[in-house]
Amino acid sequence: MHAELNDLTNNAARYRNGKRYLWLIAFVTAFLPIASMLVYVETGFLAALCFPLIYFFVGMPLLDMLLGEDPYNPSDDVMYRLEQDPYFRVLLFCIIPIYYLTFFAAVWVVGTYSPPLWAVLVFAVGVGTFHANSLTVGHELGHKTNKVDQWGAKISNALVGYGHFCIEHNRGHHVQVATPEDAASSRFGESIYRFALREIPGGFVRGWHHEAERLKRKGHSVWSWRNDILQGYAITLAIAAGLVVWFGPGVLPFIIVHHVVGWYGLTQANYVEHYGLKRKKMENGRYEPCQPRHSWNTNHIYSNLATFHLQRHSDHHSNPLRPYQVLRNFPDLPRLPSGYPGCFVLAAIPPLWFRIMNPKVMAWANNDPSLINKG
């Protein structure tokens, strides 16, 4: 028995030593906008403000291609140890202030050095794309049930003004995922641009509806301070107002574009995660339970580490409470051709996306149109 326990401990140690500190790649990625700001401030080289955008859409796909995939799953005994290890939760709470720091620093650069409008907009798109990952952290914490994690999610989501996200995601998307009724599940042949026009307002309406219902059941007004969505929006507005007062209205275009791009970052993820996949409708009118095969999966190493395993999405939808560090891979899952950054590039060119992904959807459905989400 003693030898068996030693074996379990050694197995856990080997797993942690192999990947435990690689999660810090997420922090390296989070600090990259600071590097571009320092180059601009020290040299006046405007093109440095383009670096976050280039890194995300060129550098990360290349790193995914070079480093390949990691299909490894921890064994059951290792999973238990990893789930109980507070280190992984601490990482999530530590990265939130870094996102806020880079946001404040970016506003300071724009408000103090007054770069030309084109540079402000490009910089806002780049930093906003990075800060869409604040919603990834909010997503992870928002699936937990304790108050501390719930508030962590609220603060993280507030960075880009998406206070309704966790409510919409947990009570809406996870219930209706991979069905025509889900605003956050993209349909076969639907471009990302058409999807964004449906998903962004649809997410707000559904989130508000669910929160209004919750408050009504408790006997409270929807305009109560107890409204979780309004709490998130209040944080966002207070920060934006303070920055405008401090630096002047000239920073407002940066803040607005930054936030909208953060929303679009989530939209891009939602688009690639369930494109064309549909759950079967049973004779009783209900859809079959969500299975791993109803989400596109990818094991690309670099972008998965940078996004806290968001891209192991198949296991997440089957086990929403499972923490990111133990999400599993399965051999028969529908697979994306790249990590999310590379897929976002493909999705931005709809004919290219359709050419690559439509045959994958048809193969997944065994050429049965009834199994494809066409809306």
Side-chain angles (χ1 to χ4, degrees), residues 5-90:
L5 289 175
N6 283 339
D7 287 342
L8 294 180
T9 302
N10 290 335
N11 286 338
R14 280 198 293 273
Y15 182 81
R16 288 199 298 268
N17 289 338
K19 204 170 184 179
R20 183 178 181 84
Y21 299 109
L22 290 180
W23 295 107
L24 296 177
I25 284 174
F27 290 78
V28 174
T29 301
F31 271 116
L32 275 168
I34 295 286
S36 68
M37 294 179 224
L38 288 174
V39 172
Y40 168 65
V41 168
E42 291 297 323
T43 67
F45 184 52
L46 279 171
L49 298 180
C50 303
F51 179 66
L53 201 57
I54 295 170
Y55 171 80
F56 191 91
F57 289 110
V58 178
M60 290 186 72
L62 287 175
L63 286 167
D64 271 341
M65 183 175 66
L66 291 171
L67 297 176
E69 300 186 50
D70 172 24
Y72 179 78
N73 287 333
S75 61
D76 290 343
D77 56 286
V78 173
M79 281 182 64
Y80 176 78
R81 285 169 169 75
L82 294 177
E83 287 177 330
Q84 301 304 311
D85 190 338
Y87 167 79
F88 299 98
R89 181 169 175 257
V90 168

Coordinates of all heavy atoms in Angstrom, one line a residue, residues 5-90:
L5 N 1.0 4.3 -2.9 CA 0.9 5.8 -2.6 C 2.1 6.5 -3.1 O 1.9 7.6 -3.7 CB 0.7 6.0 -1.1 CG -0.6 5.6 -0.5 CD1 -0.5 5.7 1.0 CD2 -1.7 6.4 -1.1
N6 N 3.3 6.0 -3.0 CA 4.5 6.6 -3.5 C 4.4 6.7 -5.0 O 4.8 7.7 -5.6 CB 5.7 5.8 -3.1 CG 6.1 6.1 -1.7 OD1 5.7 7.1 -1.1 ND2 6.9 5.2 -1.1
D7 N 3.9 5.7 -5.7 CA 3.7 5.7 -7.1 C 2.8 6.8 -7.5 O 3.0 7.6 -8.5 CB 3.2 4.4 -7.7 CG 4.3 3.3 -7.6 OD1 5.4 3.7 -7.5 OD2 3.9 2.1 -7.7
L8 N 1.6 7.0 -6.8 CA 0.7 8.0 -7.1 C 1.3 9.4 -6.9 O 1.1 10.3 -7.8 CB -0.6 7.9 -6.2 CG -1.4 6.6 -6.4 CD1 -2.6 6.7 -5.4 CD2 -1.9 6.5 -7.8
T9 N 2.0 9.6 -5.9 CA 2.7 10.8 -5.6 C 3.7 11.2 -6.7 O 3.8 12.3 -7.2 CB 3.4 10.8 -4.2 OG1 2.4 10.5 -3.3 CG2 4.0 12.2 -4.0
N10 N 4.5 10.2 -7.1 CA 5.5 10.4 -8.1 C 4.8 10.7 -9.5 O 5.3 11.6 -10.2 CB 6.3 9.1 -8.3 CG 7.3 9.0 -7.1 OD1 7.6 9.9 -6.4 ND2 7.7 7.7 -6.9
N11 N 3.7 10.0 -9.8 CA 3.0 10.3 -11.0 C 2.5 11.8 -11.0 O 2.6 12.5 -12.0 CB 1.8 9.4 -11.2 CG 2.2 8.0 -11.6 OD1 3.3 7.8 -12.1 ND2 1.3 7.0 -11.3
A12 N 1.9 12.2 -9.9 CA 1.4 13.6 -9.8 C 2.5 14.6 -10.0 O 2.4 15.6 -10.6 CB 0.7 13.8 -8.4
A13 N 3.7 14.3 -9.3 CA 4.8 15.2 -9.4 C 5.3 15.3 -10.8 O 5.7 16.4 -11.3 CB 5.9 14.7 -8.5
R14 N 5.4 14.1 -11.6 CA 5.8 14.2 -12.9 C 4.9 15.0 -13.8 O 5.4 15.8 -14.6 CB 5.9 12.7 -13.5 CG 7.2 12.0 -13.1 CD 7.4 10.8 -14.0 NE 6.4 9.8 -13.8 CZ 6.4 8.8 -12.9 NH1 7.4 8.7 -12.1 NH2 5.4 7.9 -12.8
Y15 N 3.6 14.9 -13.6 CA 2.7 15.7 -14.4 C 2.9 17.2 -14.0 O 3.0 18.0 -14.9 CB 1.3 15.3 -14.0 CG 0.3 16.1 -14.9 CD1 0.0 15.7 -16.2 CD2 -0.4 17.2 -14.4 CE1 -0.9 16.4 -17.0 CE2 -1.2 17.9 -15.2 CZ -1.5 17.5 -16.5 OH -2.4 18.3 -17.2
R16 N 3.0 17.6 -12.8 CA 3.2 19.0 -12.4 C 4.5 19.5 -13.0 O 4.5 20.6 -13.5 CB 3.1 19.1 -10.9 CG 1.7 18.9 -10.3 CD 1.6 19.5 -8.9 NE 2.5 18.8 -8.0 CZ 2.2 17.8 -7.3 NH1 1.0 17.3 -7.3 NH2 3.1 17.3 -6.5
N17 N 5.5 18.7 -12.9 CA 6.8 19.2 -13.3 C 6.8 19.4 -14.9 O 7.5 20.2 -15.4 CB 7.9 18.2 -13.0 CG 8.2 18.3 -11.5 OD1 7.9 19.2 -10.8 ND2 8.8 17.2 -10.9
G18 N 6.0 18.6 -15.5 CA 6.0 18.8 -17.0 C 5.2 20.0 -17.5 O 5.5 20.5 -18.6
K19 N 4.1 20.4 -16.7 CA 3.3 21.4 -17.3 C 2.9 22.5 -16.3 O 2.4 23.6 -16.7 CB 2.0 20.8 -17.8 CG 1.2 21.5 -18.8 CD 0.1 20.7 -19.4 CE -0.6 21.4 -20.5 NZ -1.7 20.6 -21.1
R20 N 3.2 22.3 -15.0 CA 2.7 23.2 -14.0 C 3.1 24.6 -14.2 O 2.3 25.5 -14.1 CB 3.3 22.7 -12.6 CG 2.9 23.5 -11.4 CD 3.5 23.0 -10.2 NE 3.1 23.7 -9.0 CZ 2.0 23.4 -8.3 NH1 1.1 22.5 -8.7 NH2 1.7 24.1 -7.2
Y21 N 4.3 24.9 -14.5 CA 4.8 26.3 -14.7 C 4.6 26.8 -16.1 O 4.8 28.0 -16.4 CB 6.2 26.4 -14.2 CG 6.3 26.1 -12.7 CD1 6.9 24.9 -12.3 CD2 5.7 26.9 -11.8 CE1 7.0 24.6 -11.0 CE2 5.8 26.6 -10.4 CZ 6.4 25.4 -10.0 OH 6.4 25.1 -8.7
L22 N 4.3 25.9 -17.0 CA 4.0 26.4 -18.4 C 2.8 27.3 -18.5 O 2.6 28.0 -19.4 CB 3.9 25.2 -19.4 CG 5.2 24.4 -19.6 CD1 4.9 23.2 -20.6 CD2 6.3 25.3 -20.2
W23 N 1.9 27.1 -17.5 CA 0.7 28.0 -17.5 C 1.1 29.5 -17.4 O 0.3 30.4 -17.7 CB -0.2 27.6 -16.3 CG -0.8 26.2 -16.5 CD1 -0.5 25.1 -15.8 CD2 -1.8 25.8 -17.5 NE1 -1.2 24.0 -16.3 CE2 -2.1 24.4 -17.3 CE3 -2.6 26.5 -18.4 CZ2 -3.0 23.7 -18.0 CZ3 -3.5 25.8 -19.2 CH2 -3.7 24.4 -19.0
L24 N 2.3 29.7 -16.9 CA 2.8 31.1 -16.8 C 2.9 31.8 -18.2 O 3.1 33.0 -18.3 CB 4.1 31.2 -16.1 CG 4.0 30.7 -14.6 CD1 5.4 30.7 -14.0 CD2 3.0 31.6 -13.8
I25 N 2.8 31.0 -19.3 CA 2.8 31.6 -20.6 C 1.6 32.6 -20.7 O 1.7 33.6 -21.5 CB 2.7 30.5 -21.7 CG1 4.0 29.8 -21.8 CG2 2.2 31.0 -23.0 CD1 4.0 28.6 -22.7
A26 N 0.5 32.3 -20.0 CA -0.6 33.2 -20.1 C -0.2 34.6 -19.5 O -0.7 35.6 -20.0 CB -1.8 32.7 -19.2
F27 N 0.7 34.6 -18.6 CA 1.2 35.9 -18.0 C 2.1 36.6 -19.0 O 2.1 37.8 -19.1 CB 1.9 35.7 -16.7 CG 0.9 35.3 -15.6 CD1 0.4 34.0 -15.5 CD2 0.5 36.2 -14.6 CE1 -0.5 33.6 -14.5 CE2 -0.4 35.8 -13.6 CZ -0.9 34.5 -13.6
V28 N 3.0 35.8 -19.6 CA 3.9 36.4 -20.7 C 3.0 37.1 -21.7 O 3.3 38.2 -22.1 CB 4.8 35.3 -21.3 CG1 5.6 35.9 -22.4 CG2 5.7 34.7 -20.2
T29 N 2.0 36.4 -22.2 CA 1.1 37.0 -23.2 C 0.4 38.2 -22.7 O 0.3 39.2 -23.4 CB 0.1 35.9 -23.6 OG1 0.7 34.8 -24.1 CG2 -0.9 36.5 -24.7
A30 N 0.0 38.2 -21.4 CA -0.7 39.3 -20.8 C 0.2 40.6 -20.8 O -0.3 41.7 -20.9 CB -1.3 39.0 -19.5
F31 N 1.5 40.4 -20.6 CA 2.4 41.5 -20.4 C 2.9 42.1 -21.8 O 3.5 43.1 -21.8 CB 3.6 41.1 -19.6 CG 3.4 41.3 -18.1 CD1 3.4 40.3 -17.3 CD2 3.3 42.6 -17.6 CE1 3.3 40.5 -15.9 CE2 3.1 42.8 -16.3 CZ 3.1 41.7 -15.4
L32 N 2.6 41.4 -22.9 CA 3.2 41.8 -24.2 C 2.7 43.2 -24.6 O 3.6 43.9 -25.2 CB 2.8 40.8 -25.2 CG 3.8 39.6 -25.3 CD1 3.2 38.5 -26.2 CD2 5.1 40.1 -25.9
P33 N 1.5 43.6 -24.4 CA 1.2 45.0 -24.7 C 2.0 46.0 -24.0 O 2.3 47.1 -24.6 CB -0.3 45.1 -24.3 CG -0.9 43.8 -24.4 CD 0.3 42.9 -23.9
I34 N 2.5 45.7 -22.8 CA 3.4 46.6 -22.1 C 4.7 46.8 -22.8 O 5.2 47.9 -22.9 CB 3.7 46.1 -20.6 CG1 2.4 46.0 -19.8 CG2 4.8 46.9 -20.0 CD1 2.0 47.4 -19.3
A35 N 5.2 45.7 -23.4 CA 6.4 45.8 -24.2 C 6.3 46.7 -25.4 O 7.2 47.5 -25.7 CB 6.8 44.4 -24.7
S36 N 5.2 46.6 -26.1 CA 4.9 47.5 -27.2 C 4.8 48.9 -26.8 O 5.3 49.8 -27.5 CB 3.7 47.1 -28.0 OG 2.5 47.3 -27.2
M37 N 4.2 49.2 -25.6 CA 4.1 50.6 -25.1 C 5.5 51.1 -24.8 O 5.8 52.3 -25.1 CB 3.2 50.6 -23.9 CG 1.8 50.2 -24.1 SD 0.8 50.3 -22.5 CE -0.1 48.8 -22.7
L38 N 6.3 50.3 -24.1 CA 7.7 50.8 -23.7 C 8.5 51.2 -25.0 O 9.2 52.2 -25.0 CB 8.4 49.7 -22.9 CG 7.8 49.5 -21.5 CD1 8.5 48.3 -20.9 CD2 8.0 50.7 -20.7
V39 N 8.4 50.3 -26.0 CA 9.1 50.7 -27.2 C 8.6 52.0 -27.8 O 9.4 52.8 -28.2 CB 9.0 49.5 -28.3 CG1 9.6 49.9 -29.6 CG2 9.6 48.3 -27.8
Y40 N 7.3 52.2 -27.8 CA 6.8 53.4 -28.4 C 7.2 54.6 -27.5 O 7.6 55.7 -28.1 CB 5.3 53.3 -28.5 CG 4.6 54.6 -28.8 CD1 4.8 55.3 -30.0 CD2 3.8 55.3 -27.8 CE1 4.2 56.6 -30.2 CE2 3.2 56.5 -28.0 CZ 3.4 57.1 -29.3 OH 2.8 58.3 -29.5
V41 N 7.1 54.5 -26.2 CA 7.4 55.6 -25.3 C 8.8 56.0 -25.4 O 9.2 57.2 -25.4 CB 7.0 55.3 -23.9 CG1 7.5 56.3 -22.9 CG2 5.4 55.2 -23.7
E42 N 9.7 55.0 -25.5 CA 11.2 55.2 -25.5 C 11.7 55.7 -26.9 O 12.7 56.5 -26.9 CB 11.9 54.0 -25.1 CG 11.7 53.6 -23.6 CD 12.2 54.6 -22.7 OE1 13.3 55.3 -23.0 OE2 11.6 54.9 -21.6
T43 N 11.1 55.3 -27.9 CA 11.6 55.6 -29.3 C 10.7 56.4 -30.1 O 11.1 57.0 -31.1 CB 11.9 54.2 -30.0 OG1 10.6 53.6 -30.3 CG2 12.8 53.3 -29.2
G44 N 9.4 56.5 -29.8 CA 8.4 57.2 -30.6 C 8.1 56.4 -31.9 O 7.4 56.9 -32.8
F45 N 8.5 55.1 -32.0 CA 8.2 54.3 -33.1 C 6.8 53.8 -33.1 O 6.4 52.9 -32.4 CB 9.2 53.1 -33.1 CG 9.1 52.2 -34.3 CD1 9.2 52.7 -35.6 CD2 8.9 50.8 -34.1 CE1 9.1 51.8 -36.7 CE2 8.9 50.0 -35.2 CZ 9.0 50.5 -36.5
L46 N 5.9 54.5 -33.9 CA 4.5 54.2 -33.9 C 4.1 52.8 -34.2 O 3.1 52.2 -33.7 CB 3.8 55.2 -34.9 CG 3.5 56.6 -34.4 CD1 3.0 57.5 -35.5 CD2 2.5 56.6 -33.2
A47 N 4.9 52.2 -35.1 CA 4.6 50.8 -35.5 C 4.6 49.8 -34.3 O 4.0 48.8 -34.4 CB 5.5 50.3 -36.6
A48 N 5.3 50.2 -33.3 CA 5.3 49.3 -32.1 C 3.9 49.1 -31.5 O 3.7 48.1 -30.9 CB 6.2 49.9 -31.0
L49 N 3.0 50.1 -31.7 CA 1.7 49.9 -31.2 C 0.9 48.9 -32.0 O -0.2 48.5 -31.6 CB 1.0 51.3 -31.3 CG 1.6 52.4 -30.4 CD1 0.8 53.7 -30.5 CD2 1.7 52.0 -28.9
C50 N 1.4 48.4 -33.1 CA 0.8 47.4 -33.9 C 1.2 46.0 -33.4 O 0.6 45.0 -33.9 CB 1.2 47.5 -35.4 SG 0.8 49.1 -36.1
F51 N 2.2 45.9 -32.6 CA 2.7 44.6 -32.2 C 1.7 43.7 -31.5 O 1.7 42.5 -31.9 CB 4.0 44.8 -31.3 CG 4.6 43.5 -30.8 CD1 5.2 42.7 -31.7 CD2 4.5 43.1 -29.5 CE1 5.8 41.5 -31.3 CE2 5.1 41.9 -29.0 CZ 5.7 41.1 -30.0
P52 N 0.9 44.1 -30.6 CA -0.1 43.2 -30.0 C -1.0 42.5 -31.1 O -1.2 41.3 -31.0 CB -0.9 44.1 -29.1 CG 0.0 45.2 -28.7 CD 0.8 45.5 -30.0
L53 N -1.4 43.3 -32.1 CA -2.2 42.7 -33.1 C -1.5 41.7 -33.9 O -2.0 40.6 -34.3 CB -2.8 43.8 -34.0 CG -4.0 43.6 -34.9 CD1 -5.2 43.2 -34.0 CD2 -4.3 44.8 -35.7
I54 N -0.2 42.0 -34.3 CA 0.6 41.1 -35.1 C 0.9 39.8 -34.3 O 0.8 38.7 -34.8 CB 1.9 41.8 -35.5 CG1 1.6 43.0 -36.5 CG2 2.8 40.8 -36.2 CD1 2.7 43.9 -36.8
Y55 N 1.2 40.0 -33.0 CA 1.6 38.8 -32.2 C 0.4 37.9 -32.1 O 0.6 36.6 -32.3 CB 2.0 39.3 -30.8 CG 2.1 38.1 -29.9 CD1 3.3 37.3 -29.8 CD2 1.1 37.8 -29.0 CE1 3.4 36.3 -29.0 CE2 1.2 36.7 -28.1 CZ 2.4 36.0 -28.1 OH 2.5 34.9 -27.2
F56 N -0.8 38.4 -31.9 CA -2.0 37.5 -31.7 C -2.3 36.8 -33.0 O -2.6 35.6 -32.9 CB -3.2 38.3 -31.2 CG -4.3 37.5 -30.7 CD1 -4.3 37.1 -29.4 CD2 -5.3 37.0 -31.5 CE1 -5.4 36.3 -28.9 CE2 -6.3 36.2 -31.1 CZ -6.4 35.9 -29.8
F57 N -2.4 37.5 -34.1 CA -2.9 36.8 -35.3 C -1.9 36.3 -36.2 O -2.2 35.6 -37.2 CB -3.8 37.9 -36.1 CG -5.1 38.2 -35.4 CD1 -5.3 39.4 -34.8 CD2 -6.1 37.2 -35.3 CE1 -6.5 39.7 -34.2 CE2 -7.3 37.5 -34.6 CZ -7.5 38.8 -34.1
V58 N -0.6 36.5 -35.9 CA 0.5 35.9 -36.7 C 1.4 35.1 -35.8 O 1.7 33.9 -36.1 CB 1.3 37.0 -37.4 CG1 2.5 36.4 -38.2 CG2 0.5 37.8 -38.4
G59 N 1.9 35.7 -34.7 CA 2.8 35.0 -33.9 C 2.3 33.7 -33.2 O 2.9 32.7 -33.2
M60 N 1.1 33.9 -32.6 CA 0.5 32.7 -31.9 C 0.1 31.6 -32.8 O 0.4 30.4 -32.5 CB -0.7 33.2 -31.1 CG -0.3 34.0 -29.9 SD -1.7 34.5 -28.8 CE -2.0 32.9 -28.0
P61 N -0.5 31.8 -34.0 CA -0.7 30.7 -34.9 C 0.6 30.0 -35.4 O 0.6 28.8 -35.5 CB -1.4 31.4 -36.1 CG -2.1 32.5 -35.5 CD -1.2 33.0 -34.5
L62 N 1.7 30.8 -35.5 CA 2.9 30.2 -35.9 C 3.5 29.3 -34.8 O 4.0 28.2 -35.0 CB 3.9 31.3 -36.3 CG 3.7 31.9 -37.7 CD1 4.7 33.1 -37.9 CD2 3.8 30.9 -38.8
L63 N 3.4 29.8 -33.5 CA 3.8 29.1 -32.4 C 3.0 27.8 -32.2 O 3.6 26.7 -31.9 CB 3.8 29.9 -31.1 CG 4.9 31.0 -31.0 CD1 4.5 32.0 -29.9 CD2 6.2 30.4 -30.8
D64 N 1.7 27.9 -32.5 CA 0.9 26.7 -32.4 C 1.3 25.6 -33.5 O 1.4 24.4 -33.2 CB -0.6 27.0 -32.6 CG -1.3 27.4 -31.4 OD1 -0.8 27.0 -30.3 OD2 -2.4 28.0 -31.4
M65 N 1.6 26.1 -34.6 CA 2.1 25.2 -35.7 C 3.4 24.6 -35.4 O 3.6 23.4 -35.6 CB 2.2 26.0 -37.0 CG 2.5 25.2 -38.2 SD 2.5 26.1 -39.8 CE 3.8 27.2 -39.5
L66 N 4.3 25.4 -34.8 CA 5.7 24.9 -34.5 C 5.7 23.9 -33.3 O 6.4 22.9 -33.4 CB 6.6 26.1 -34.3 CG 7.0 26.9 -35.5 CD1 7.7 28.2 -35.0 CD2 7.8 26.1 -36.5
L67 N 4.9 24.2 -32.3 CA 4.9 23.4 -31.1 C 4.0 22.3 -31.1 O 4.1 21.3 -30.3 CB 4.6 24.3 -29.9 CG 5.6 25.5 -29.6 CD1 5.2 26.3 -28.5 CD2 7.0 24.9 -29.3
G68 N 3.0 22.3 -32.0 CA 2.1 21.2 -32.2 C 1.1 21.0 -31.1 O 0.8 22.0 -30.4
E69 N 0.6 19.8 -30.9 CA -0.5 19.5 -30.0 C 0.0 18.7 -28.8 O 1.0 18.0 -28.8 CB -1.6 18.8 -30.7 CG -2.2 19.6 -31.9 CD -3.4 19.0 -32.5 OE1 -4.3 18.6 -31.7 OE2 -3.4 18.9 -33.7
D70 N -0.8 18.8 -27.7 CA -0.6 18.0 -26.5 C -1.9 17.2 -26.2 O -2.8 17.8 -25.6 CB -0.3 18.9 -25.3 CG -0.2 18.1 -24.0 OD1 0.0 16.9 -24.1 OD2 -0.4 18.8 -23.0
P71 N -1.9 15.9 -26.6 CA -3.2 15.1 -26.4 C -3.2 14.5 -25.0 O -4.1 13.7 -24.7 CB -3.1 14.1 -27.5 CG -1.6 13.8 -27.6 CD -0.9 15.2 -27.3
Y72 N -2.2 14.8 -24.1 CA -2.1 14.1 -22.8 C -3.3 14.3 -21.9 O -3.7 15.5 -21.8 CB -0.8 14.5 -22.2 CG -0.6 13.8 -20.8 CD1 -0.1 12.5 -20.7 CD2 -0.8 14.5 -19.7 CE1 0.0 11.9 -19.5 CE2 -0.6 13.9 -18.4 CZ -0.2 12.6 -18.4 OH 0.0 12.0 -17.1
N73 N -3.7 13.3 -21.2 CA -4.7 13.4 -20.2 C -4.1 12.9 -18.9 O -3.5 11.9 -18.8 CB -5.9 12.5 -20.5 CG -6.8 13.1 -21.6 OD1 -6.8 14.3 -21.8 ND2 -7.5 12.2 -22.2
P74 N -4.3 13.7 -17.8 CA -3.9 13.2 -16.5 C -4.7 12.0 -16.1 O -5.9 11.9 -16.4 CB -4.1 14.3 -15.5 CG -5.1 15.2 -16.2 CD -4.9 15.0 -17.7
S75 N -4.1 11.0 -15.4 CA -4.8 9.9 -14.9 C -5.8 10.3 -13.8 O -5.7 11.5 -13.3 CB -3.9 8.8 -14.4 OG -3.1 9.4 -13.3
D76 N -6.7 9.5 -13.4 CA -7.7 9.8 -12.4 C -7.1 10.3 -11.1 O -7.6 11.3 -10.5 CB -8.7 8.6 -12.2 CG -9.6 8.4 -13.4 OD1 -9.7 9.2 -14.2 OD2 -10.1 7.2 -13.4
D77 N -6.1 9.6 -10.6 CA -5.5 10.0 -9.4 C -4.8 11.3 -9.5 O -4.8 12.2 -8.5 CB -4.5 8.9 -8.9 CG -3.4 8.6 -9.9 OD1 -3.7 8.0 -10.9 OD2 -2.3 9.1 -9.7
V78 N -4.2 11.6 -10.6 CA -3.5 12.9 -10.8 C -4.5 14.0 -10.9 O -4.4 15.1 -10.4 CB -2.6 12.8 -12.0 CG1 -2.0 14.2 -12.3 CG2 -1.4 11.9 -11.8
M79 N -5.7 13.7 -11.6 CA -6.7 14.7 -11.8 C -7.2 15.2 -10.4 O -7.4 16.4 -10.2 CB -7.9 14.1 -12.6 CG -7.7 14.0 -14.1 SD -9.2 13.4 -14.9 CE -10.4 14.6 -14.5
Y80 N -7.4 14.2 -9.5 CA -7.9 14.6 -8.2 C -6.9 15.6 -7.5 O -7.3 16.6 -6.9 CB -8.1 13.4 -7.3 CG -8.5 13.7 -5.9 CD1 -9.8 14.1 -5.6 CD2 -7.5 13.7 -4.8 CE1 -10.1 14.4 -4.3 CE2 -7.9 14.0 -3.5 CZ -9.2 14.3 -3.3 OH -9.6 14.7 -2.0
R81 N -5.6 15.3 -7.6 CA -4.6 16.1 -6.9 C -4.6 17.5 -7.6 O -4.4 18.5 -6.9 CB -3.2 15.5 -7.0 CG -3.0 14.3 -6.1 CD -1.8 13.5 -6.4 NE -1.5 12.6 -5.3 CZ -2.1 11.4 -5.1 NH1 -3.1 11.1 -5.9 NH2 -1.8 10.6 -4.1
L82 N -4.7 17.5 -8.9 CA -4.7 18.8 -9.6 C -5.9 19.6 -9.3 O -5.8 20.9 -9.1 CB -4.6 18.6 -11.1 CG -3.3 18.0 -11.6 CD1 -3.3 17.7 -13.1 CD2 -2.1 18.8 -11.3
E83 N -7.0 19.0 -9.1 CA -8.3 19.7 -8.8 C -8.2 20.3 -7.4 O -8.7 21.4 -7.2 CB -9.4 18.7 -8.9 CG -9.9 18.4 -10.3 CD -11.0 17.4 -10.3 OE1 -11.1 16.6 -9.3 OE2 -11.8 17.4 -11.2
Q84 N -7.5 19.7 -6.5 CA -7.4 20.1 -5.1 C -6.2 21.2 -4.9 O -6.2 21.8 -3.9 CB -7.1 19.0 -4.2 CG -8.2 17.9 -4.2 CD -9.6 18.5 -3.9 OE1 -9.8 19.2 -3.0 NE2 -10.6 18.2 -4.8
D85 N -5.4 21.3 -5.9 CA -4.2 22.2 -5.8 C -4.6 23.6 -6.0 O -5.1 24.0 -7.0 CB -3.2 21.8 -6.9 CG -1.8 22.5 -6.7 OD1 -1.8 23.5 -6.0 OD2 -0.8 22.0 -7.2
P86 N -4.5 24.5 -5.0 CA -4.9 25.9 -5.1 C -4.1 26.7 -6.1 O -4.6 27.8 -6.4 CB -4.8 26.4 -3.6 CG -3.7 25.6 -3.0 CD -3.9 24.2 -3.6
Y87 N -3.0 26.3 -6.4 CA -2.1 27.0 -7.3 C -2.8 27.4 -8.6 O -2.6 28.6 -9.1 CB -0.9 26.1 -7.7 CG 0.0 26.6 -8.8 CD1 0.9 27.6 -8.7 CD2 -0.1 26.0 -10.1 CE1 1.7 28.0 -9.7 CE2 0.6 26.4 -11.2 CZ 1.6 27.4 -11.0 OH 2.3 27.8 -12.0
F88 N -3.6 26.6 -9.2 CA -4.2 26.9 -10.5 C -5.3 27.9 -10.3 O -5.5 28.7 -11.2 CB -4.8 25.6 -11.1 CG -3.7 24.5 -11.3 CD1 -3.5 23.5 -10.4 CD2 -2.9 24.6 -12.4 CE1 -2.5 22.6 -10.6 CE2 -1.9 23.7 -12.7 CZ -1.7 22.7 -11.8
R89 N -6.0 27.9 -9.2 CA -7.0 29.0 -9.0 C -6.3 30.3 -8.7 O -6.8 31.4 -9.2 CB -7.9 28.6 -7.8 CG -9.0 29.6 -7.4 CD -9.9 29.0 -6.4 NE -10.9 29.9 -5.9 CZ -10.9 30.5 -4.8 NH1 -9.9 30.3 -3.9 NH2 -11.9 31.3 -4.4
V90 N -5.2 30.3 -8.0 CA -4.4 31.5 -7.7 C -4.0 32.2 -9.0 O -4.0 33.4 -9.1 CB -3.2 31.2 -6.8 CG1 -2.3 32.4 -6.7 CG2 -3.7 30.8 -5.4

